[in-house]
Amino acid sequence: MKLQRMNRRALTLGALAVSGALALTACGSDDTGGGTDATGSATTNANSTIKCDDAKGQLLADGSSAQKNAIDAWVKAFTAACSGVQINYKGGGSGAGVTAFTQGTVAFAGSDSALKPDEVTASKSVCTGGTAIDLPAVGGAIALAYNLPGVDNLVLDAPTLAKIFDSKIKTWDDAAIKALNPGATLPSTKIQPFHRSEDSGTTDNLTKYLIATTPENWKYEGGKAWQAEGGQAASGSAGIAAGVKQTEGAIGYMEQSYAKDLSTVAIDTGASAPVKPSSDGATKAIAAAQVVGTGNDYSLKLDYKTKADGAYPITLVTYEIVCDKGNKADTLPATKAFLRYITSEDGQGILSGIDYAPIPADIIAKVRTTVESLA
């Protein structure tokens, strides 16, 4: 499975590199590919299926760091085809993205948690005549990565994870961890749990999992802000991954694509076998989600308590947040073109190869229709 994932990733990155090379060739010649026409509007690379339409200018966006690697791959392919568009996605965290959107400083935002009612209300001052909506665009497993030399295939369950992140289990040779890993030689190394320092949708989804599965061991109310005491804080999934990699005894949570060079925990869900984070496992879990949004909002309710074989329970869905009506006229064409691409078969098709999960077909089809209706 790991080798297949590496091969898919290599093929994907190779394809993106080719797209980038085609774009560079196009910029240097008037005979091929994309560029701008006499009016300055973006044109489409002849070899690309991406529709640029009238997209041009700069798009500013911020939000989920969990989707940052996916956004980077999408931006590379999109701007290779639509050379008149520049996209700057900051990836400062879901909380920062929602704040930036409701303040009107970005064209769209990414969030691993759906908008709350007060955030929807705040958006109406930015979305003239409309409101902000949640459009699921990418899914993923939240990996629990750890640094414990000599210990492979570590298994944990919800109660042990809750106690670890609440500083109730303090060493790796704790009896509860031993019981889940009878064949492992566990050291007495101190556990160093890492959590997010900023408001994070990844935090929100991890704590929703703990609240749903082991409320007696996780008595916090949850949300984007980390609430348990102890542990070490780091910014973004990249910061958590770096902290785990540099600290023996560490464990931290991050979107799966950030854990590719780290050991990851298999979760004992009560299924026939513990489940490791994977694109397929996340997609299987997300496929059981219920749409709870109304109108053009497609926010989802995930089943964190799943015991289905192969379904990875700690998942997230990243929503692109945009106005259904009242988007700024100067950024609307580029916003629609980019969202059209990332929700297309081609855009969704690259996700598995870079350790993300595509959105289930029936849901993404509705999202595509909504993208076309944005005004």
Side-chain angles (χ1 to χ4, degrees):
M1 178 65 71
K2 183 175 182 182
L3 181 58
Q4 291 174 342
R5 232 175 18 245
M6 291 172 65
N7 288 338
R8 288 198 303 269
R9 177 177 173 83
L11 288 170
T12 299
L13 294 178
L16 293 177
V18 170
S19 296
L22 288 170
L24 291 174
T25 301
C27 291
S29 170
D30 291 332
D31 296 328
T32 62
T36 55
D37 61 20
T39 67
S41 296
T43 60
T44 306
N45 188 295
N47 296 320
S48 174
T49 60
I50 296 172
K51 293 175 60 178
C52 303
D53 293 337
D54 296 322
K56 60 181 179 180
Q58 186 178 53
L59 277 186
L60 298 180
D62 195 2
S64 165
S65 70
Q67 73 164 354
K68 182 67 164 57
N69 290 336
I71 288 283
D72 287 347
W74 280 331
V75 167
K76 187 172 183 178
F78 180 81
T79 55
C82 305
S83 58
V85 182
Q86 292 180 322
I87 301 175
N88 182 0
Y89 183 81
K90 187 176 180 181
S94 297
V98 172
T99 297
F101 185 83
T102 56
Q103 291 177 346
T105 60
V106 294
F108 70 91
S111 176
D112 307 323
S113 300
L115 292 165
K116 295 179 179 179
D118 61 322
E119 293 168 338
V120 174
T121 299
S123 76
K124 293 181 180 180
S125 64
V126 176
C127 305
T128 306
T131 188
I133 53 175
D134 300 287
L135 300 179
V138 56
I142 300 175
L144 281 303
Y146 66 96
N147 182 342
L148 206 57
V151 178
D152 299 319
N153 302 316
L154 183 72
V155 176
L156 297 174
D157 60 9
T160 57
L161 282 170
K163 292 173 185 177
I164 284 170
F165 281 102
D166 201 22
S167 300
K168 299 287 174 46
I169 292 179
K170 299 180 182 295
T171 62
W172 282 108
D173 61 351
D174 186 272
I177 302 177
K178 283 184 174 180
L180 291 164
N181 299 272
T185 301
L186 295 165
S188 59
T189 306
K190 181 182 178 181
I191 298 175
Q192 305 276 4
F194 277 79
H195 60 265
R196 292 282 286 274
S197 59
E198 78 283 12
D199 284 2
S200 160
T202 310
T203 294
D204 190 20
N205 283 278
L206 172 67
T207 55
K208 282 178 179 175
Y209 164 75
L210 296 175
I211 291 167
T213 55
T214 184
E216 68 277 16
N217 293 303
W218 194 261
K219 299 184 181 297
Y220 304 98
E221 65 182 14
K224 293 187 181 77
W226 185 257
Q227 296 166 341
E229 296 183 2
Q232 301 186 48
S235 177
S237 287
I240 296 279
V244 171
K245 192 171 187 177
Q246 296 165 8
T247 308
E248 187 168 335
I251 184 171
Y253 58 94
M254 65 205 71
E255 195 280 325
Q256 182 193 348
S257 70
Y258 291 87
K260 59 182 179 295
D261 297 324
L262 298 168
S263 298
T264 56
V265 172
I267 305 298
D268 183 349
T269 65
S272 62
V275 188
K276 279 223 170 194
S278 70
S279 297
D280 290 343
T283 296
K284 188 168 186 178
I286 294 168
Q290 295 179 324
V291 176
V292 293
T294 58
N296 286 328
D297 185 281
Y298 290 97
S299 54
L300 305 174
K301 181 179 180 181
L302 300 172
D303 180 11
Y304 299 101
K305 297 167 70 174
T306 180
K307 294 182 180 180
D309 285 346
Y312 186 77
I314 317 176
T315 57
L316 58 80
V317 169
T318 299
Y319 303 96
E320 310 310 334
I321 296 169
V322 67
C323 298
D324 60 354
K325 297 177 183 178
N327 291 281
K328 294 179 181 178
D330 58 338
T331 58
L332 178 59
T335 299
K336 286 184 70 169
F338 184 63
L339 294 182
R340 179 186 296 120
Y341 163 61
I342 71 175
T343 59
S344 70
E345 289 187 10
D346 286 348
Q348 292 288 295
I350 74 170
L351 293 176
S352 295
I354 52 176
D355 294 323
Y356 286 92
I359 299 299
D362 58 334
I363 297 173
I364 202 68
K366 296 174 182 177
V367 172
R368 290 171 188 148
T369 299
T370 297
V371 168
E372 297 303 326
S373 72
L374 297 179

